[in-house]
Amino acid sequence: MQKELLVTGSSGFFGSALINRALKRGWFVKGTARHSLGILSEQFGVDINYLDLSKDTISIPKANYIVHCATANEIKSLDLFKSIDSTIKGTKKLIEYCLENRFEHFIYISTVGIYGRELNGEINENSPFQANSNYALNHYYAEKICERYASRNFKVTIIRLSNVYGIPSVSTVDRNTLVPICFVVNLLRKGVVELNSSGLQQRDFINQIEASDIVLNSLNNQKSNFDIINASSGKSYSIIEIAKIACQEYSKFSGKVGKITSMPDKNNYENNYSFSSKAYKSKDKNLEYLSINETISELFKIYNALI
C-alpha cells in the first residue's frame, strides 16, 4: 500500500516546492492551505484542503507522514503575538491532532536562524541557540514542543533550513523579500540593488529542490524517534556577491547596467562559518540542482512578465 504525505503551507515558497518535488519522486501527496484552494489544486493536480491553525478546532486528511511548513515567516514574525499563535500554538495543535489520528512521522520545518543572526565557526545540530529575532524565538519553542511528542510509534524530525532559493512553484507564492528574488525585482523596477548593510555577511544558500530532497530522504532513512537535521548546501556566498551576480544576469537579460548601493555596518562585519550536517542527501551523482546564477537568470524571465 502506497504511503501518503501531507504538506501544510502549500501556497508558500517552500511548501509548494516540496509538493512538486514529492510528486516528481512518485509520492502520493495532499496539501493544506488557508486560501486559493481551487487554484492550488489545479496547479498541483492534487487535493488541497483548508487548514487554519488559528481556529479552535482543526481537521485534516489522514496521511502517514506530515511536513509542517505553515508557520510565520521572518516578515510575519515581526508581529510577535500573531506569530506565536501561528507558529507555536498552531504547531502544538497540529502535532497533537496528528498523534491522536495515528500519523507515523511529523516533520517540522524550522530555520538555521536559531543559531544566531551572524554565524561564525563550525555550526552543527548541537550548536547553542541564540535568540536574536522573533522568527528564531518562535521556531525554537515550536521545536521544543515537537520534541516532547516523539515516541516509539510517532517519529518527529526537525529540519533547519538555511537560506532557500529557487523559482516560485505556484502563482500564490508572494515572497519578493527573499534573496535573490528581491534583487531581481529591484533591478527590473529601478535598475539598482539596494542593500541595507555592507553586504559582507556570509550565508549558506540551498536550492529549494535540494532542500526538498533532504526532507523526503529523512522520511525514508530516519531510525530514531527524534532527530534534528541542518538542511544546508555547504555553499556560502556574501550578500554582495549575490547582488553582483544579479547585476551580471540583469545586464545579459536587458543590456543595461545595474547598480548596487550599500550601507556600512559596525566594523564592516564579515562572518566566516561552515555547516556540519547529518542530512540524508541524494546518492545520485548525476543529480544537479539549479545554481544561483541559473536561478537568477530564470527569475528575470518570470518577473519581467509580472512587473
Side-chain angles (χ1 to χ4, degrees), residues 55-91:
K55 302 295 184 182
D56 292 334
T57 59
I58 62 172
S59 178
I60 56 176
K62 182 71 174 72
N64 303 95
Y65 311 122
I66 182 167
V67 181
H68 182 33
C69 307
T71 54
N73 60 38
E74 64 277 11
I75 302 301
K76 293 180 180 178
S77 293
L78 294 174
D79 186 326
L80 179 59
F81 295 105
K82 285 186 178 180
S83 60
I84 285 174
D85 282 340
S86 60
T87 300
I88 299 176
K89 293 181 180 179
T91 297

PDB file of all heavy atoms in Angstrom, residues 55-91:
ATOM      1  N   LYS A  55      -7.807  28.551  14.269  1.00  0.00           N
ATOM      2  CA  LYS A  55      -9.150  28.142  14.674  1.00  0.00           C
ATOM      3  C   LYS A  55      -9.086  27.228  15.904  1.00  0.00           C
ATOM      4  O   LYS A  55      -8.084  26.560  16.153  1.00  0.00           O
ATOM      5  CB  LYS A  55      -9.863  27.422  13.532  1.00  0.00           C
ATOM      6  CG  LYS A  55      -9.986  28.232  12.248  1.00  0.00           C
ATOM      7  CD  LYS A  55     -10.858  29.451  12.433  1.00  0.00           C
ATOM      8  CE  LYS A  55     -11.046  30.196  11.112  1.00  0.00           C
ATOM      9  NZ  LYS A  55     -11.853  31.432  11.282  1.00  0.00           N
ATOM     10  N   ASP A  56     -10.194  27.186  16.647  1.00  0.00           N
ATOM     11  CA  ASP A  56     -10.235  26.361  17.861  1.00  0.00           C
ATOM     12  C   ASP A  56     -10.148  24.875  17.543  1.00  0.00           C
ATOM     13  O   ASP A  56      -9.527  24.102  18.273  1.00  0.00           O
ATOM     14  CB  ASP A  56     -11.517  26.648  18.653  1.00  0.00           C
ATOM     15  CG  ASP A  56     -11.519  28.048  19.252  1.00  0.00           C
ATOM     16  OD1 ASP A  56     -10.416  28.584  19.482  1.00  0.00           O
ATOM     17  OD2 ASP A  56     -12.612  28.593  19.471  1.00  0.00           O
ATOM     18  N   THR A  57     -10.806  24.459  16.467  1.00  0.00           N
ATOM     19  CA  THR A  57     -10.764  23.049  16.072  1.00  0.00           C
ATOM     20  C   THR A  57     -10.242  22.941  14.648  1.00  0.00           C
ATOM     21  O   THR A  57     -10.480  23.819  13.818  1.00  0.00           O
ATOM     22  CB  THR A  57     -12.157  22.402  16.153  1.00  0.00           C
ATOM     23  OG1 THR A  57     -13.059  23.108  15.290  1.00  0.00           O
ATOM     24  CG2 THR A  57     -12.681  22.433  17.577  1.00  0.00           C
ATOM     25  N   ILE A  58      -9.533  21.861  14.366  1.00  0.00           N
ATOM     26  CA  ILE A  58      -8.985  21.645  13.029  1.00  0.00           C
ATOM     27  C   ILE A  58      -9.304  20.236  12.564  1.00  0.00           C
ATOM     28  O   ILE A  58      -9.566  19.341  13.371  1.00  0.00           O
ATOM     29  CB  ILE A  58      -7.454  21.865  12.985  1.00  0.00           C
ATOM     30  CG1 ILE A  58      -6.741  20.861  13.905  1.00  0.00           C
ATOM     31  CG2 ILE A  58      -7.102  23.291  13.345  1.00  0.00           C
ATOM     32  CD1 ILE A  58      -5.224  20.881  13.772  1.00  0.00           C
ATOM     33  N   SER A  59      -9.272  20.051  11.258  1.00  0.00           N
ATOM     34  CA  SER A  59      -9.460  18.729  10.670  1.00  0.00           C
ATOM     35  C   SER A  59      -8.656  18.671   9.380  1.00  0.00           C
ATOM     36  O   SER A  59      -8.730  19.586   8.555  1.00  0.00           O
ATOM     37  CB  SER A  59     -10.938  18.472  10.380  1.00  0.00           C
ATOM     38  OG  SER A  59     -11.111  17.199   9.774  1.00  0.00           O
ATOM     39  N   ILE A  60      -7.865  17.626   9.230  1.00  0.00           N
ATOM     40  CA  ILE A  60      -7.055  17.461   8.027  1.00  0.00           C
ATOM     41  C   ILE A  60      -7.177  16.028   7.528  1.00  0.00           C
ATOM     42  O   ILE A  60      -7.542  15.125   8.288  1.00  0.00           O
ATOM     43  CB  ILE A  60      -5.568  17.792   8.290  1.00  0.00           C
ATOM     44  CG1 ILE A  60      -5.007  16.936   9.435  1.00  0.00           C
ATOM     45  CG2 ILE A  60      -5.381  19.266   8.568  1.00  0.00           C
ATOM     46  CD1 ILE A  60      -3.525  17.138   9.681  1.00  0.00           C
ATOM     47  N   PRO A  61      -6.876  15.793   6.248  1.00  0.00           N
ATOM     48  CA  PRO A  61      -6.957  14.430   5.714  1.00  0.00           C
ATOM     49  C   PRO A  61      -5.955  13.506   6.402  1.00  0.00           C
ATOM     50  O   PRO A  61      -4.873  13.929   6.803  1.00  0.00           O
ATOM     51  CB  PRO A  61      -6.603  14.606   4.237  1.00  0.00           C
ATOM     52  CG  PRO A  61      -6.778  16.046   3.950  1.00  0.00           C
ATOM     53  CD  PRO A  61      -6.492  16.768   5.215  1.00  0.00           C
ATOM     54  N   LYS A  62      -6.312  12.254   6.524  1.00  0.00           N
ATOM     55  CA  LYS A  62      -5.411  11.263   7.113  1.00  0.00           C
ATOM     56  C   LYS A  62      -4.255  10.993   6.157  1.00  0.00           C
ATOM     57  O   LYS A  62      -4.421  10.938   4.944  1.00  0.00           O
ATOM     58  CB  LYS A  62      -6.167   9.959   7.376  1.00  0.00           C
ATOM     59  CG  LYS A  62      -5.336   8.874   8.044  1.00  0.00           C
ATOM     60  CD  LYS A  62      -5.032   9.216   9.488  1.00  0.00           C
ATOM     61  CE  LYS A  62      -4.319   8.055  10.197  1.00  0.00           C
ATOM     62  NZ  LYS A  62      -2.929   7.869   9.748  1.00  0.00           N
ATOM     63  N   ALA A  63      -3.068  10.853   6.715  1.00  0.00           N
ATOM     64  CA  ALA A  63      -1.883  10.509   5.935  1.00  0.00           C
ATOM     65  C   ALA A  63      -0.911   9.781   6.854  1.00  0.00           C
ATOM     66  O   ALA A  63      -1.077   9.766   8.075  1.00  0.00           O
ATOM     67  CB  ALA A  63      -1.233  11.759   5.348  1.00  0.00           C
ATOM     68  N   ASN A  64       0.100   9.173   6.262  1.00  0.00           N
ATOM     69  CA  ASN A  64       1.131   8.518   7.065  1.00  0.00           C
ATOM     70  C   ASN A  64       2.145   9.524   7.596  1.00  0.00           C
ATOM     71  O   ASN A  64       2.576   9.445   8.748  1.00  0.00           O
ATOM     72  CB  ASN A  64       1.857   7.463   6.224  1.00  0.00           C
ATOM     73  CG  ASN A  64       0.923   6.433   5.641  1.00  0.00           C
ATOM     74  OD1 ASN A  64       0.484   6.563   4.500  1.00  0.00           O
ATOM     75  ND2 ASN A  64       0.585   5.406   6.422  1.00  0.00           N
ATOM     76  N   TYR A  65       2.513  10.472   6.725  1.00  0.00           N
ATOM     77  CA  TYR A  65       3.543  11.446   7.066  1.00  0.00           C
ATOM     78  C   TYR A  65       2.999  12.858   6.881  1.00  0.00           C
ATOM     79  O   TYR A  65       2.171  13.105   5.997  1.00  0.00           O
ATOM     80  CB  TYR A  65       4.768  11.287   6.165  1.00  0.00           C
ATOM     81  CG  TYR A  65       5.290   9.876   6.039  1.00  0.00           C
ATOM     82  CD1 TYR A  65       5.388   9.267   4.786  1.00  0.00           C
ATOM     83  CD2 TYR A  65       5.702   9.157   7.152  1.00  0.00           C
ATOM     84  CE1 TYR A  65       5.880   7.982   4.650  1.00  0.00           C
ATOM     85  CE2 TYR A  65       6.192   7.865   7.028  1.00  0.00           C
ATOM     86  CZ  TYR A  65       6.277   7.282   5.776  1.00  0.00           C
ATOM     87  OH  TYR A  65       6.760   6.005   5.652  1.00  0.00           O
ATOM     88  N   ILE A  66       3.507  13.780   7.681  1.00  0.00           N
ATOM     89  CA  ILE A  66       3.136  15.184   7.509  1.00  0.00           C
ATOM     90  C   ILE A  66       4.388  16.045   7.611  1.00  0.00           C
ATOM     91  O   ILE A  66       5.252  15.810   8.462  1.00  0.00           O
ATOM     92  CB  ILE A  66       2.080  15.624   8.548  1.00  0.00           C
ATOM     93  CG1 ILE A  66       1.667  17.084   8.302  1.00  0.00           C
ATOM     94  CG2 ILE A  66       2.564  15.418   9.977  1.00  0.00           C
ATOM     95  CD1 ILE A  66       0.421  17.507   9.064  1.00  0.00           C
ATOM     96  N   VAL A  67       4.501  17.021   6.709  1.00  0.00           N
ATOM     97  CA  VAL A  67       5.571  18.015   6.767  1.00  0.00           C
ATOM     98  C   VAL A  67       4.913  19.363   7.016  1.00  0.00           C
ATOM     99  O   VAL A  67       4.107  19.831   6.211  1.00  0.00           O
ATOM    100  CB  VAL A  67       6.400  18.055   5.470  1.00  0.00           C
ATOM    101  CG1 VAL A  67       7.516  19.095   5.595  1.00  0.00           C
ATOM    102  CG2 VAL A  67       6.997  16.685   5.167  1.00  0.00           C
ATOM    103  N   HIS A  68       5.260  19.972   8.133  1.00  0.00           N
ATOM    104  CA  HIS A  68       4.600  21.203   8.567  1.00  0.00           C
ATOM    105  C   HIS A  68       5.422  22.427   8.159  1.00  0.00           C
ATOM    106  O   HIS A  68       6.460  22.722   8.754  1.00  0.00           O
ATOM    107  CB  HIS A  68       4.407  21.164  10.082  1.00  0.00           C
ATOM    108  CG  HIS A  68       3.693  22.349  10.641  1.00  0.00           C
ATOM    109  ND1 HIS A  68       2.709  23.035   9.952  1.00  0.00           N
ATOM    110  CD2 HIS A  68       3.822  22.988  11.848  1.00  0.00           C
ATOM    111  CE1 HIS A  68       2.263  24.026  10.695  1.00  0.00           C
ATOM    112  NE2 HIS A  68       2.925  24.022  11.840  1.00  0.00           N
ATOM    113  N   CYS A  69       4.941  23.116   7.114  1.00  0.00           N
ATOM    114  CA  CYS A  69       5.610  24.319   6.598  1.00  0.00           C
ATOM    115  C   CYS A  69       4.829  25.593   6.903  1.00  0.00           C
ATOM    116  O   CYS A  69       5.320  26.694   6.622  1.00  0.00           O
ATOM    117  CB  CYS A  69       5.788  24.223   5.082  1.00  0.00           C
ATOM    118  SG  CYS A  69       6.601  22.740   4.482  1.00  0.00           S
ATOM    119  N   ALA A  70       3.612  25.458   7.445  1.00  0.00           N
ATOM    120  CA  ALA A  70       2.703  26.606   7.586  1.00  0.00           C
ATOM    121  C   ALA A  70       2.944  27.363   8.886  1.00  0.00           C
ATOM    122  O   ALA A  70       2.097  27.396   9.779  1.00  0.00           O
ATOM    123  CB  ALA A  70       1.254  26.130   7.502  1.00  0.00           C
ATOM    124  N   THR A  71       4.124  27.965   8.994  1.00  0.00           N
ATOM    125  CA  THR A  71       4.446  28.784  10.157  1.00  0.00           C
ATOM    126  C   THR A  71       4.758  30.205   9.692  1.00  0.00           C
ATOM    127  O   THR A  71       4.924  30.458   8.500  1.00  0.00           O
ATOM    128  CB  THR A  71       5.649  28.204  10.916  1.00  0.00           C
ATOM    129  OG1 THR A  71       6.749  28.046  10.000  1.00  0.00           O
ATOM    130  CG2 THR A  71       5.308  26.854  11.522  1.00  0.00           C
ATOM    131  N   ALA A  72       4.851  31.129  10.638  1.00  0.00           N
ATOM    132  CA  ALA A  72       5.086  32.531  10.290  1.00  0.00           C
ATOM    133  C   ALA A  72       6.497  32.721   9.748  1.00  0.00           C
ATOM    134  O   ALA A  72       7.475  32.281  10.365  1.00  0.00           O
ATOM    135  CB  ALA A  72       4.871  33.412  11.516  1.00  0.00           C
ATOM    136  N   ASN A  73       6.616  33.369   8.581  1.00  0.00           N
ATOM    137  CA  ASN A  73       7.943  33.652   8.037  1.00  0.00           C
ATOM    138  C   ASN A  73       8.566  34.842   8.763  1.00  0.00           C
ATOM    139  O   ASN A  73       7.986  35.398   9.699  1.00  0.00           O
ATOM    140  CB  ASN A  73       7.867  33.885   6.521  1.00  0.00           C
ATOM    141  CG  ASN A  73       6.971  35.055   6.144  1.00  0.00           C
ATOM    142  OD1 ASN A  73       6.943  36.083   6.814  1.00  0.00           O
ATOM    143  ND2 ASN A  73       6.227  34.900   5.058  1.00  0.00           N
ATOM    144  N   GLU A  74       9.775  35.243   8.317  1.00  0.00           N
ATOM    145  CA  GLU A  74      10.501  36.291   9.037  1.00  0.00           C
ATOM    146  C   GLU A  74       9.781  37.639   8.998  1.00  0.00           C
ATOM    147  O   GLU A  74       9.925  38.453   9.924  1.00  0.00           O
ATOM    148  CB  GLU A  74      11.929  36.434   8.488  1.00  0.00           C
ATOM    149  CG  GLU A  74      12.032  36.900   7.049  1.00  0.00           C
ATOM    150  CD  GLU A  74      11.881  35.770   6.037  1.00  0.00           C
ATOM    151  OE1 GLU A  74      11.483  34.653   6.418  1.00  0.00           O
ATOM    152  OE2 GLU A  74      12.164  36.021   4.853  1.00  0.00           O
ATOM    153  N   ILE A  75       8.981  37.886   7.961  1.00  0.00           N
ATOM    154  CA  ILE A  75       8.236  39.142   7.883  1.00  0.00           C
ATOM    155  C   ILE A  75       7.032  39.110   8.825  1.00  0.00           C
ATOM    156  O   ILE A  75       6.817  40.028   9.627  1.00  0.00           O
ATOM    157  CB  ILE A  75       7.774  39.417   6.439  1.00  0.00           C
ATOM    158  CG1 ILE A  75       8.985  39.463   5.494  1.00  0.00           C
ATOM    159  CG2 ILE A  75       6.989  40.717   6.369  1.00  0.00           C
ATOM    160  CD1 ILE A  75      10.021  40.501   5.836  1.00  0.00           C
ATOM    161  N   LYS A  76       6.252  38.044   8.770  1.00  0.00           N
ATOM    162  CA  LYS A  76       5.082  37.929   9.642  1.00  0.00           C
ATOM    163  C   LYS A  76       5.478  37.813  11.112  1.00  0.00           C
ATOM    164  O   LYS A  76       4.704  38.168  12.001  1.00  0.00           O
ATOM    165  CB  LYS A  76       4.240  36.726   9.221  1.00  0.00           C
ATOM    166  CG  LYS A  76       3.584  36.900   7.854  1.00  0.00           C
ATOM    167  CD  LYS A  76       2.761  35.693   7.461  1.00  0.00           C
ATOM    168  CE  LYS A  76       2.112  35.904   6.094  1.00  0.00           C
ATOM    169  NZ  LYS A  76       1.334  34.716   5.654  1.00  0.00           N
ATOM    170  N   SER A  77       6.693  37.336  11.378  1.00  0.00           N
ATOM    171  CA  SER A  77       7.154  37.192  12.759  1.00  0.00           C
ATOM    172  C   SER A  77       7.483  38.527  13.411  1.00  0.00           C
ATOM    173  O   SER A  77       7.723  38.587  14.623  1.00  0.00           O
ATOM    174  CB  SER A  77       8.383  36.280  12.814  1.00  0.00           C
ATOM    175  OG  SER A  77       8.049  34.958  12.461  1.00  0.00           O
ATOM    176  N   LEU A  78       7.501  39.599  12.631  1.00  0.00           N
ATOM    177  CA  LEU A  78       7.721  40.923  13.221  1.00  0.00           C
ATOM    178  C   LEU A  78       6.609  41.258  14.213  1.00  0.00           C
ATOM    179  O   LEU A  78       6.827  41.997  15.173  1.00  0.00           O
ATOM    180  CB  LEU A  78       7.804  41.986  12.118  1.00  0.00           C
ATOM    181  CG  LEU A  78       9.018  41.872  11.180  1.00  0.00           C
ATOM    182  CD1 LEU A  78       8.911  42.880  10.045  1.00  0.00           C
ATOM    183  CD2 LEU A  78      10.324  42.060  11.948  1.00  0.00           C
ATOM    184  N   ASP A  79       5.411  40.725  13.961  1.00  0.00           N
ATOM    185  CA  ASP A  79       4.311  40.840  14.924  1.00  0.00           C
ATOM    186  C   ASP A  79       4.392  39.619  15.842  1.00  0.00           C
ATOM    187  O   ASP A  79       3.909  38.541  15.511  1.00  0.00           O
ATOM    188  CB  ASP A  79       2.967  40.879  14.196  1.00  0.00           C
ATOM    189  CG  ASP A  79       1.799  41.155  15.132  1.00  0.00           C
ATOM    190  OD1 ASP A  79       1.846  40.705  16.297  1.00  0.00           O
ATOM    191  OD2 ASP A  79       0.830  41.805  14.699  1.00  0.00           O
ATOM    192  N   LEU A  80       5.025  39.789  16.986  1.00  0.00           N
ATOM    193  CA  LEU A  80       5.349  38.654  17.850  1.00  0.00           C
ATOM    194  C   LEU A  80       4.117  37.875  18.282  1.00  0.00           C
ATOM    195  O   LEU A  80       4.097  36.642  18.225  1.00  0.00           O
ATOM    196  CB  LEU A  80       6.117  39.137  19.080  1.00  0.00           C
ATOM    197  CG  LEU A  80       6.498  38.049  20.099  1.00  0.00           C
ATOM    198  CD1 LEU A  80       7.371  36.988  19.453  1.00  0.00           C
ATOM    199  CD2 LEU A  80       7.194  38.668  21.299  1.00  0.00           C
ATOM    200  N   PHE A  81       3.073  38.571  18.708  1.00  0.00           N
ATOM    201  CA  PHE A  81       1.920  37.871  19.276  1.00  0.00           C
ATOM    202  C   PHE A  81       1.148  37.085  18.226  1.00  0.00           C
ATOM    203  O   PHE A  81       0.719  35.953  18.467  1.00  0.00           O
ATOM    204  CB  PHE A  81       1.017  38.868  20.004  1.00  0.00           C
ATOM    205  CG  PHE A  81       1.681  39.484  21.203  1.00  0.00           C
ATOM    206  CD1 PHE A  81       2.151  40.783  21.162  1.00  0.00           C
ATOM    207  CD2 PHE A  81       1.878  38.733  22.353  1.00  0.00           C
ATOM    208  CE1 PHE A  81       2.791  41.336  22.256  1.00  0.00           C
ATOM    209  CE2 PHE A  81       2.515  39.281  23.457  1.00  0.00           C
ATOM    210  CZ  PHE A  81       2.980  40.587  23.411  1.00  0.00           C
ATOM    211  N   LYS A  82       0.992  37.651  17.038  1.00  0.00           N
ATOM    212  CA  LYS A  82       0.323  36.911  15.967  1.00  0.00           C
ATOM    213  C   LYS A  82       1.157  35.714  15.527  1.00  0.00           C
ATOM    214  O   LYS A  82       0.626  34.645  15.227  1.00  0.00           O
ATOM    215  CB  LYS A  82       0.051  37.833  14.778  1.00  0.00           C
ATOM    216  CG  LYS A  82      -1.103  38.799  14.994  1.00  0.00           C
ATOM    217  CD  LYS A  82      -1.408  39.574  13.726  1.00  0.00           C
ATOM    218  CE  LYS A  82      -2.599  40.507  13.935  1.00  0.00           C
ATOM    219  NZ  LYS A  82      -2.913  41.287  12.704  1.00  0.00           N
ATOM    220  N   SER A  83       2.473  35.889  15.486  1.00  0.00           N
ATOM    221  CA  SER A  83       3.330  34.787  15.041  1.00  0.00           C
ATOM    222  C   SER A  83       3.404  33.678  16.085  1.00  0.00           C
ATOM    223  O   SER A  83       3.564  32.506  15.742  1.00  0.00           O
ATOM    224  CB  SER A  83       4.732  35.300  14.699  1.00  0.00           C
ATOM    225  OG  SER A  83       5.358  35.899  15.818  1.00  0.00           O
ATOM    226  N   ILE A  84       3.270  34.022  17.355  1.00  0.00           N
ATOM    227  CA  ILE A  84       3.203  32.991  18.402  1.00  0.00           C
ATOM    228  C   ILE A  84       1.973  32.118  18.185  1.00  0.00           C
ATOM    229  O   ILE A  84       2.025  30.887  18.299  1.00  0.00           O
ATOM    230  CB  ILE A  84       3.179  33.635  19.803  1.00  0.00           C
ATOM    231  CG1 ILE A  84       4.572  34.150  20.174  1.00  0.00           C
ATOM    232  CG2 ILE A  84       2.689  32.637  20.859  1.00  0.00           C
ATOM    233  CD1 ILE A  84       4.622  34.927  21.464  1.00  0.00           C
ATOM    234  N   ASP A  85       0.851  32.752  17.845  1.00  0.00           N
ATOM    235  CA  ASP A  85      -0.384  31.992  17.601  1.00  0.00           C
ATOM    236  C   ASP A  85      -0.216  30.999  16.462  1.00  0.00           C
ATOM    237  O   ASP A  85      -0.640  29.845  16.556  1.00  0.00           O
ATOM    238  CB  ASP A  85      -1.540  32.949  17.275  1.00  0.00           C
ATOM    239  CG  ASP A  85      -2.104  33.613  18.521  1.00  0.00           C
ATOM    240  OD1 ASP A  85      -1.880  33.078  19.622  1.00  0.00           O
ATOM    241  OD2 ASP A  85      -2.759  34.658  18.393  1.00  0.00           O
ATOM    242  N   SER A  86       0.409  31.430  15.361  1.00  0.00           N
ATOM    243  CA  SER A  86       0.508  30.554  14.196  1.00  0.00           C
ATOM    244  C   SER A  86       1.651  29.551  14.314  1.00  0.00           C
ATOM    245  O   SER A  86       1.495  28.381  13.953  1.00  0.00           O
ATOM    246  CB  SER A  86       0.680  31.386  12.921  1.00  0.00           C
ATOM    247  OG  SER A  86       1.855  32.169  12.988  1.00  0.00           O
ATOM    248  N   THR A  87       2.792  29.972  14.834  1.00  0.00           N
ATOM    249  CA  THR A  87       3.961  29.089  14.857  1.00  0.00           C
ATOM    250  C   THR A  87       3.989  28.182  16.082  1.00  0.00           C
ATOM    251  O   THR A  87       4.137  26.961  15.958  1.00  0.00           O
ATOM    252  CB  THR A  87       5.259  29.915  14.791  1.00  0.00           C
ATOM    253  OG1 THR A  87       5.266  30.684  13.587  1.00  0.00           O
ATOM    254  CG2 THR A  87       6.482  29.004  14.808  1.00  0.00           C
ATOM    255  N   ILE A  88       3.840  28.738  17.266  1.00  0.00           N
ATOM    256  CA  ILE A  88       3.975  27.936  18.487  1.00  0.00           C
ATOM    257  C   ILE A  88       2.659  27.237  18.839  1.00  0.00           C
ATOM    258  O   ILE A  88       2.588  26.006  18.913  1.00  0.00           O
ATOM    259  CB  ILE A  88       4.458  28.813  19.659  1.00  0.00           C
ATOM    260  CG1 ILE A  88       5.830  29.417  19.321  1.00  0.00           C
ATOM    261  CG2 ILE A  88       4.542  27.983  20.936  1.00  0.00           C
ATOM    262  CD1 ILE A  88       6.367  30.374  20.362  1.00  0.00           C
ATOM    263  N   LYS A  89       1.602  28.016  19.021  1.00  0.00           N
ATOM    264  CA  LYS A  89       0.315  27.412  19.383  1.00  0.00           C
ATOM    265  C   LYS A  89      -0.227  26.544  18.249  1.00  0.00           C
ATOM    266  O   LYS A  89      -0.788  25.470  18.484  1.00  0.00           O
ATOM    267  CB  LYS A  89      -0.689  28.505  19.741  1.00  0.00           C
ATOM    268  CG  LYS A  89      -0.340  29.274  21.006  1.00  0.00           C
ATOM    269  CD  LYS A  89      -1.396  30.334  21.309  1.00  0.00           C
ATOM    270  CE  LYS A  89      -1.056  31.108  22.572  1.00  0.00           C
ATOM    271  NZ  LYS A  89      -2.065  32.166  22.850  1.00  0.00           N
ATOM    272  N   GLY A  90      -0.064  27.019  17.009  1.00  0.00           N
ATOM    273  CA  GLY A  90      -0.554  26.260  15.864  1.00  0.00           C
ATOM    274  C   GLY A  90       0.153  24.929  15.707  1.00  0.00           C
ATOM    275  O   GLY A  90      -0.469  23.906  15.404  1.00  0.00           O
ATOM    276  N   THR A  91       1.471  24.919  15.923  1.00  0.00           N
ATOM    277  CA  THR A  91       2.233  23.675  15.823  1.00  0.00           C
ATOM    278  C   THR A  91       1.817  22.686  16.906  1.00  0.00           C
ATOM    279  O   THR A  91       1.676  21.483  16.650  1.00  0.00           O
ATOM    280  CB  THR A  91       3.740  23.969  15.917  1.00  0.00           C
ATOM    281  OG1 THR A  91       4.127  24.790  14.803  1.00  0.00           O
ATOM    282  CG2 THR A  91       4.556  22.683  15.900  1.00  0.00           C
TER     283      THR A  91
END
